[in-house]
Structure formats: structure tokens, C-alpha cells
Coordinates of all heavy atoms in Angstrom, one line a residue:
E1 N 76.1 109.4 301.4 CA 76.6 110.7 301.0 C 75.6 111.6 300.3 O 74.8 111.0 299.5 CB 77.9 110.6 300.0 CG 78.5 111.9 299.7 CD 79.8 111.7 298.8 OE1 80.2 110.6 298.6 OE2 80.4 112.7 298.4
N2 N 75.5 112.9 300.8 CA 74.5 113.7 300.1 C 74.9 113.8 298.6 O 76.0 114.1 298.2 CB 74.6 115.1 300.7 CG 73.4 116.0 300.4 OD1 72.6 115.6 299.6 ND2 73.4 117.2 300.9
A3 N 73.9 113.7 297.8 CA 74.1 113.7 296.3 C 73.6 115.0 295.7 O 73.4 115.0 294.5 CB 73.4 112.5 295.7
Q4 N 73.5 116.0 296.5 CA 73.1 117.3 296.0 C 73.7 118.4 296.9 O 74.2 118.1 298.0 CB 71.6 117.5 296.0 CG 70.8 117.4 297.3 CD 69.4 117.6 297.3 OE1 68.8 117.5 296.2 NE2 68.8 117.9 298.3
D5 N 73.6 119.6 296.5 CA 74.3 120.8 297.2 C 73.3 121.1 298.4 O 73.8 121.5 299.5 CB 74.5 122.0 296.3 CG 75.6 121.8 295.4 OD1 76.4 120.8 295.6 OD2 75.7 122.5 294.4
D6 N 71.9 121.0 298.2 CA 71.1 121.4 299.3 C 71.0 120.3 300.2 O 71.3 119.1 299.9 CB 69.7 121.6 298.7 CG 69.6 122.9 297.8 OD1 70.3 123.8 298.1 OD2 68.7 122.9 296.8
P7 N 70.5 120.6 301.5 CA 70.4 119.6 302.5 C 69.5 118.4 302.1 O 68.5 118.6 301.3 CB 69.9 120.2 303.7 CG 70.3 121.7 303.5 CD 70.2 121.9 302.1
T8 N 69.8 117.1 302.4 CA 69.0 116.0 302.3 C 68.5 115.4 303.6 O 69.4 115.2 304.5 CB 69.7 115.0 301.5 OG1 69.9 115.4 300.1 CG2 69.0 113.6 301.4
E9 N 67.2 115.3 303.8 CA 66.7 114.8 305.1 C 66.4 113.3 305.0 O 65.7 112.8 304.0 CB 65.4 115.5 305.5 CG 64.9 115.2 306.8 CD 63.7 115.9 307.3 OE1 63.0 116.4 306.5 OE2 63.4 115.9 308.5
V10 N 67.0 112.5 306.0 CA 67.0 111.1 305.9 C 66.5 110.5 307.3 O 67.0 110.9 308.3 CB 68.3 110.5 305.5 CG1 68.2 108.9 305.3 CG2 68.8 111.1 304.2
Y11 N 65.6 109.6 307.2 CA 65.2 108.8 308.4 C 66.0 107.5 308.4 O 66.0 106.8 307.3 CB 63.7 108.5 308.4 CG 63.3 107.4 309.4 CD1 63.1 107.9 310.7 CD2 63.0 106.2 309.1 CE1 62.7 106.9 311.8 CE2 62.5 105.2 310.1 CZ 62.4 105.6 311.4 OH 62.1 104.8 312.4
L12 N 66.7 107.2 309.4 CA 67.6 106.0 309.5 C 67.2 105.1 310.7 O 66.7 105.5 311.7 CB 69.0 106.5 309.8 CG 69.7 107.4 308.8 CD1 71.0 108.0 309.3 CD2 70.0 106.6 307.5
Y13 N 67.4 103.8 310.4 CA 66.9 102.8 311.4 C 68.0 101.7 311.4 O 68.6 101.3 310.3 CB 65.6 102.3 310.9 CG 65.1 101.0 311.6 CD1 64.2 101.1 312.7 CD2 65.5 99.7 311.2 CE1 63.7 99.9 313.3 CE2 65.0 98.6 311.8 CZ 64.2 98.7 312.9 OH 63.6 97.6 313.5
K14 N 68.3 101.2 312.6 CA 69.1 100.0 312.6 C 68.6 99.0 313.8 O 68.0 99.6 314.8 CB 70.6 100.4 312.9 CG 70.9 101.0 314.2 CD 72.4 101.3 314.3 CE 72.7 101.9 315.8 NZ 74.1 102.2 315.9
K15 N 68.8 97.7 313.7 CA 68.4 96.8 314.6 C 69.3 95.5 314.5 O 69.7 95.1 313.4 CB 66.9 96.3 314.3 CG 66.3 95.4 315.4 CD 64.8 95.1 315.0 CE 64.7 94.1 314.0 NZ 65.1 92.7 314.5
R16 N 69.5 94.8 315.6 CA 70.1 93.5 315.5 C 69.3 92.5 314.8 O 68.1 92.3 315.3 CB 70.6 93.1 316.9 CG 71.5 91.9 316.9 CD 72.4 91.9 318.1 NE 73.3 93.0 318.3 CZ 74.4 93.1 317.7 NH1 74.8 92.3 316.8 NH2 75.1 94.2 317.9
Y17 N 69.8 91.9 313.8 CA 69.0 90.9 313.0 C 68.7 89.6 313.8 O 69.6 89.1 314.5 CB 69.7 90.6 311.7 CG 69.0 89.6 310.8 CD1 67.8 89.9 310.3 CD2 69.6 88.3 310.5 CE1 67.2 89.0 309.4 CE2 69.0 87.5 309.7 CZ 67.7 87.8 309.1 OH 67.1 86.8 308.3
E18 N 67.5 89.1 313.7 CA 67.2 87.8 314.3 C 67.1 86.7 313.3 O 66.2 86.6 312.5 CB 65.8 87.9 315.0 CG 65.7 89.0 316.1 CD 64.3 89.0 316.7 OE1 63.7 88.0 317.0 OE2 63.8 90.2 316.7
P19 N 68.2 85.9 313.1 CA 68.2 84.9 312.1 C 67.1 83.8 312.3 O 66.7 83.6 313.4 CB 69.6 84.3 312.2 CG 70.3 85.2 313.1 CD 69.4 85.9 314.0
L20 N 66.7 83.3 311.1 CA 65.7 82.2 311.1 C 66.4 81.1 310.2 O 66.6 81.3 309.0 CB 64.4 82.6 310.6 CG 63.3 81.6 310.6 CD1 63.0 81.1 312.0 CD2 62.1 82.2 309.9
E21 N 66.5 79.9 310.7 CA 67.2 78.8 310.0 C 66.4 78.6 308.6 O 65.2 78.5 308.6 CB 67.2 77.5 310.8 CG 68.0 76.4 310.1 CD 68.1 75.2 311.1 OE1 67.7 75.2 312.2 OE2 68.7 74.2 310.6
G22 N 67.3 78.5 307.5 CA 66.7 78.3 306.3 C 66.3 79.5 305.4 O 65.9 79.4 304.3
Y23 N 66.4 80.7 306.1 CA 66.0 82.0 305.4 C 67.0 83.0 305.6 O 67.8 83.0 306.6 CB 64.6 82.5 306.0 CG 63.5 81.5 305.8 CD1 63.2 80.5 306.8 CD2 62.7 81.6 304.7 CE1 62.2 79.6 306.7 CE2 61.6 80.6 304.5 CZ 61.3 79.7 305.5 OH 60.3 78.9 305.4
E24 N 67.1 84.0 304.7 CA 68.0 85.1 304.8 C 67.4 86.3 304.2 O 66.6 86.2 303.3 CB 69.3 84.8 304.3 CG 69.4 84.4 302.8 CD 70.7 84.1 302.3 OE1 71.6 83.7 303.1 OE2 70.9 84.2 301.1
A25 N 67.9 87.5 304.6 CA 67.4 88.7 304.0 C 68.4 89.1 302.9 O 69.5 88.5 302.7 CB 67.5 89.8 305.0
R26 N 68.1 90.1 302.0 CA 68.9 90.6 301.0 C 68.7 92.1 300.8 O 67.8 92.7 301.4 CB 68.5 89.9 299.7 CG 67.1 90.1 299.2 CD 66.7 89.3 298.0 NE 65.4 89.7 297.4 CZ 64.3 89.3 298.0 NH1 64.2 88.5 299.0 NH2 63.2 89.8 297.4
K27 N 69.7 92.7 300.2 CA 69.5 94.1 300.0 C 68.3 94.5 299.2 O 68.0 93.8 298.1 CB 70.9 94.7 299.2 CG 70.9 96.2 299.0 CD 72.2 96.7 298.5 CE 72.3 96.4 297.0 NZ 73.5 97.1 296.3
I28 N 67.6 95.6 299.5 CA 66.4 96.0 298.8 C 66.7 97.5 298.6 O 67.0 98.3 299.5 CB 65.2 95.8 299.6 CG1 65.0 94.4 299.9 CG2 64.0 96.5 298.9 CD1 64.6 93.5 298.7
I29 N 66.4 98.0 297.3 CA 66.5 99.4 296.9 C 65.1 99.6 296.2 O 64.7 98.9 295.3 CB 67.6 99.7 295.9 CG1 68.9 99.3 296.6 CG2 67.6 101.1 295.5 CD1 69.4 100.2 297.7
G30 N 64.5 100.7 296.6 CA 63.2 101.1 296.0 C 62.8 102.5 296.2 O 63.5 103.3 296.8
N31 N 61.6 102.9 295.6 CA 61.0 104.2 295.9 C 59.6 104.1 296.0 O 58.9 103.4 295.1 CB 61.4 105.1 294.8 CG 61.2 106.6 295.1 OD1 60.0 107.0 295.4 ND2 62.2 107.4 295.1
T32 N 58.9 104.7 296.9 CA 57.5 104.7 297.1 C 56.7 105.2 295.9 O 55.6 104.8 295.7 CB 57.0 105.4 298.4 OG1 57.5 106.8 298.3 CG2 57.6 104.7 299.6
K33 N 57.4 106.1 295.1 CA 56.7 106.6 294.0 C 56.6 105.6 292.9 O 55.7 105.8 292.0 CB 57.6 107.9 293.5 CG 57.7 109.0 294.3 CD 58.6 110.1 293.8 CE 58.6 111.3 294.8 NZ 59.5 112.4 294.3
D34 N 57.2 104.5 293.0 CA 57.1 103.5 292.0 C 56.1 102.3 292.4 O 55.9 101.4 291.7 CB 58.5 102.8 291.7 CG 59.4 103.8 291.2 OD1 59.1 104.7 290.4 OD2 60.7 103.7 291.5
Q35 N 55.5 102.5 293.6 CA 54.6 101.5 294.1 C 53.1 102.0 294.1 O 52.9 103.2 294.1 CB 54.9 101.3 295.6 CG 56.3 100.7 295.9 CD 56.4 100.5 297.3 OE1 55.5 100.4 298.1 NE2 57.7 100.4 297.7
T36 N 52.2 101.1 294.0 CA 50.8 101.3 294.1 C 50.4 100.9 295.6 O 50.6 99.8 296.0 CB 49.9 100.5 293.2 OG1 50.3 100.8 291.9 CG2 48.4 100.8 293.4
P37 N 50.1 102.0 296.4 CA 49.9 101.6 297.8 C 48.5 100.8 297.9 O 47.7 100.8 297.1 CB 49.6 103.0 298.4 CG 49.2 103.9 297.3 CD 49.9 103.4 296.1
E38 N 48.5 100.1 299.0 CA 47.3 99.3 299.4 C 46.4 100.1 300.2 O 46.9 100.9 301.0 CB 47.7 98.0 299.9 CG 48.3 98.0 301.3 CD 48.6 96.6 301.9 OE1 49.7 96.1 301.5 OE2 47.8 96.1 302.6
E39 N 45.1 99.8 300.2 CA 44.1 100.4 301.1 C 44.2 99.7 302.4 O 44.0 98.6 302.6 CB 42.7 100.3 300.5 CG 42.6 101.1 299.2 CD 41.1 100.9 298.6 OE1 40.3 100.2 299.2 OE2 41.0 101.4 297.5
Y40 N 44.5 100.6 303.4 CA 44.7 99.9 304.8 C 43.4 99.6 305.4 O 42.5 100.4 305.5 CB 45.5 101.0 305.6 CG 45.9 100.5 307.0 CD1 46.9 99.6 307.1 CD2 45.2 100.9 308.2 CE1 47.3 99.1 308.4 CE2 45.7 100.4 309.4 CZ 46.7 99.5 309.5 OH 47.1 99.1 310.7
E41 N 43.2 98.3 305.8 CA 42.0 97.8 306.4 C 40.8 98.1 305.5 O 39.7 98.3 306.0 CB 41.8 98.5 307.8 CG 42.9 98.2 308.7 CD 42.9 96.8 309.4 OE1 41.8 96.1 309.2 OE2 43.9 96.4 310.0
G42 N 41.1 98.2 304.1 CA 40.0 98.3 303.1 C 39.5 99.8 303.1 O 38.4 100.0 302.5
M43 N 40.2 100.7 303.6 CA 39.7 102.1 303.6 C 40.5 102.9 302.5 O 41.7 102.9 302.4 CB 40.0 102.8 305.0 CG 39.3 102.2 306.1 SD 39.6 102.8 307.7 CE 41.3 102.2 308.1
K44 N 39.7 103.6 301.6 CA 40.2 104.3 300.5 C 41.0 105.5 300.9 O 41.8 105.9 300.1 CB 39.1 104.6 299.5 CG 38.4 103.4 298.9 CD 37.4 103.8 297.9 CE 36.7 102.6 297.3 NZ 37.6 101.7 296.6
D45 N 40.7 106.1 302.0 CA 41.4 107.3 302.4 C 42.6 107.1 303.4 O 43.0 108.0 304.0 CB 40.4 108.3 302.9 CG 39.5 107.7 304.1 OD1 39.7 106.6 304.4 OD2 38.7 108.5 304.7

């Protein structure tokens, strides 16, 4: 549900899950602003 009066733009994705015996996924909530990004292939830019 939109949590503000102005429009909220959202990218959405869905896929059929491929189970792997002995492992399972769990709910994840986060924000990229709280992460330190990694340098891709060792490139600072």
C-alpha cells in the first residue's frame, strides 16, 4: 500500500522458487542507504 499521498514508484519481481534440499529462504527487509556498496570487479567508480 502506498504510504504517502504522492505517487510511489516501485520495481516488482516474481519467480517460481527452486527448492534445494536442506536449505530455505526467509523474509528480508532492507535499504541500500544502510549498506556500504562493494567495488565491482575492483573498480572504484
Side-chain angles (χ1 to χ4, degrees):
E1 184 177 355
N2 192 359
Q4 61 178 21
D5 290 340
D6 292 333
T8 291
E9 186 177 19
V10 185
Y11 172 75
L12 297 170
Y13 170 96
K14 67 180 182 180
K15 187 180 81 70
R16 188 158 298 281
Y17 180 65
E18 299 178 52
L20 183 63
E21 186 177 356
Y23 299 90
E24 62 181 19
R26 64 186 186 280
K27 184 173 77 171
I28 300 291
I29 302 291
N31 193 301
T32 57
K33 295 179 181 178
D34 299 326
Q35 297 181 18
T36 299
E38 64 180 87
E39 296 176 0
Y40 188 70
E41 303 283 348
M43 297 178 289
K44 296 183 181 299
D45 52 1

